Amino acid sequence: MQIAEIVERRSVSPRRLSEPGPTPAQLNAIIEAACAAPDHRRLRPWRFVLIRTEAREAFADLFEAAARETHGELNSDQVKRAREKAANGACLIAVIAEIRDNIRDVPPHEQWVSVGAAVQNILLAAKSFGFGSMLVSGDKVSTRALTEGFGLAPDELLLGFVAIGTISKQPGTAERPGAKEKLSYWPKDEKQGEMMKTTTKSVEDPCCVDERTGIGGLVPVNDAISRGLSVANEVDGTEVVELDEAIGRVLAEDLVAPFPMPPFDNSAMDGYVFRSEDLSGAGPWRLRVAGRVAAGDNANEAGGVGEGEAFRIFTGAGIPKGGDAVIMQEHVRHLGNFIELDKPVIPGNCIRRSGEDAVEGSLLLPKGSPIGAREIGAIASVGLPQIKVRRKVRIALFCTGSELRQPGESLAPGQIYNSNRFILMAALRQPWIELSDMGAVVDDPDELRDVLTRAAVSADMVVTTGGVSVGEEDHMVEQLRGAAGKIEVMKIAMKPGKPLSIGTLNDAVFVGLPGNPVAAFTTWKIIGSRIAEKMSGQGTNEVPVSQVEASESFTRRPGRQEFRPAKIVGLSPEGRPQVQLLDQSFSAKISLICKSDGFAVIPADCDRIASGDRLDFVRL
Ligand SMILES: Nc1nc2c(c(=O)[nH]1)N[C@H]1C(S)=C(S)[C@@H](COP(=O)(O)OP(=O)(O)OC[C@H]3O[C@@H](n4cnc5c(N)ncnc54)[C@H](O)[C@@H]3O)O[C@H]1N2
Ligand code: MOO
């Protein structure tokens, strides 16, 4: 199970947890996952009761009685609602906790933690099979009706019910606290690895004054991102592409398993399939090899495995009728046309059950998934030769500056090569982007306005570099406004990238990156690309960060969140990469960024970093 699956798991109301529910084999696996919960002194303070499908009416009687006990007499509506709750959820499991006082070292609260962990394992195991789930409780759980109905012992308590089933309607995304809100370090001394803090009051950074407006203060990076995302809409068109063209595109609709996966019970090993009940009494047991099934054979036509018989079977071959267990060929003795086994084998051994990867109708990929090799595999495995994807985001790109020349041309004094164009063309070369490269434009206001206007006619996003700062030759913001565009954010508390400007021009989003190449690269990576990703339908993904430690101490001027090129130089005793932060002044140094492994992220209010301080790190 991937971390993203754990983070994305959401409770789904039992009303939306339809058939099919888990198969008996899946249910067993789910309960085994529950029993793997951390459990001090092996008290196993839990047990689970599956409400049988055929007993749902009787179960509804219990819910109705429980409702009467808590609310007194019920009207017909209340009766209906109480009974309906007993019918919801394809699979319902009662969670019963046995919490004991006076257990040495394991106070009741710790036993409850263990029960909670078991429940969480159930929820995650259900998710791993592609099911939705939810723990439901409420005041009814402590009623006599349910206590007696489930025959609870004096030490036992009914915690609630876990509902599991196939999600018929996906829940929305959940707002959750980030690690920054819920994780702190002890002790707070930076030597111990606490993210460093400003030790002096935030020094007034001259850069914090907006030179255009004279208004002090810069927009924090996260606010700039939120404001940028808020003006960006997902493109609404879709198209159908061949599977081998789908890599890197964005899925336009949910991919649901049209049949159970795998579609039939099959062998996980090369070996022999037989009837597990034939290995009763004392071994060794001898079975006659009476048939053969290979992958690709129709197991239904292979005949049935009779008493005392085994069929030769190979990995991926369907299980023939009668057979319910497979043994690896390494674990048997071959005696002519017979095999001999020494140990009993449990039913289901080495058998991959139909639907154990995904039950029919379960969600394989939600719409908005970026399609990588894994996703292509999932689409292919359900037999689709084509897939519906979002249309590409149309991005128009141009660089500004009268000093710019194309690589290959000769340079006159004062001129430089247009590296931004190539940095951004490379960064924008994504399968979900349709790039319109508009080259370079001189620092001429009229020409700039004209190109901006033309770019916005058919683009969803216009990306430019240069001309967003404060000099007389910086015309971008003024010309955007002149072309009836609107600026949403400018002057960001970000280093590099303070002059990054975000706005709109007609229906297009405008992202004006700074001219300095490292600043253009960084602002695109940290802010611009996220806006484009949202427009592509992939949602608003955070830039992935890992944790590193500073290898040496230094001081800095606070005021802007800094994305400082850094190089990995070693590993801390705990195995965390140690990074050396490179030059303070780097926004135009392309060779410096080529030497770095990523950006160390220094919080805006930080004015010094001690060796060993932890920092977020954006890998390049
Ligand atoms: N008085 C101030 N000056 C500057 C400030 C400021 O706040 N007050 N901010 C500085 C910061 S920070 C940055 S970043 C730059 C951004 O300037 P612009 O976005 O207006 O960009 P330009 O002035 O056009 O160019 C800056 C720099 O980058 C070179 N450049 C531009 N385009 C390209 C390209 N396509 N390929 C390679 N190099 C390029 C250009 O030659 C300049 O050297 O402003 C600071 N100034
Ligand atoms: O912030 Mo600027 O982007 O230093 O070069």
Side-chain angles (χ1 to χ4, degrees), residues 518 521-522 524-526 543-546 563-568 582 590 592-600 617-620:
V518 176
F521 172 75
T522 313
W524 174 257
K525 178 149 181 81
I526 302 297
V543 173
V545 292
S546 54
F563 294 81
R564 172 81 71 92
K567 192 168 172 45
I568 296 175
L582 304 179
I590 204 88
L592 183 92
I593 197 160
C594 292
K595 288 182 197 130
S596 72
D597 296 305
F599 298 126
F617 189 65
V618 180
R619 270 249 177 211
L620 290 177

Side-chain angles (χ1 to χ4, degrees), residues 211 399-400 403-404 416-421 465-470 474 491 497-499 513-517 519 560 587:
E211 296 85 348
C399 301
T400 66
E403 72 278 31
L404 303 178
I416 57 164
Y417 288 118
N418 184 353
S419 53
N420 285 351
R421 178 170 170 228
T465 71
V468 283
S469 189
V470 294
D474 296 329
K491 302 293 164 198
K498 185 172 58 134
L513 307 173
N516 281 322
R560 291 195 273 164
S587 137

Side-chain angles (χ1 to χ4, degrees), residues 603-615:
D605 63 356
C606 163
D607 69 350
R608 69 188 172 93
I609 286 174
S611 160
D613 276 347
R614 281 191 214 166
L615 293 165

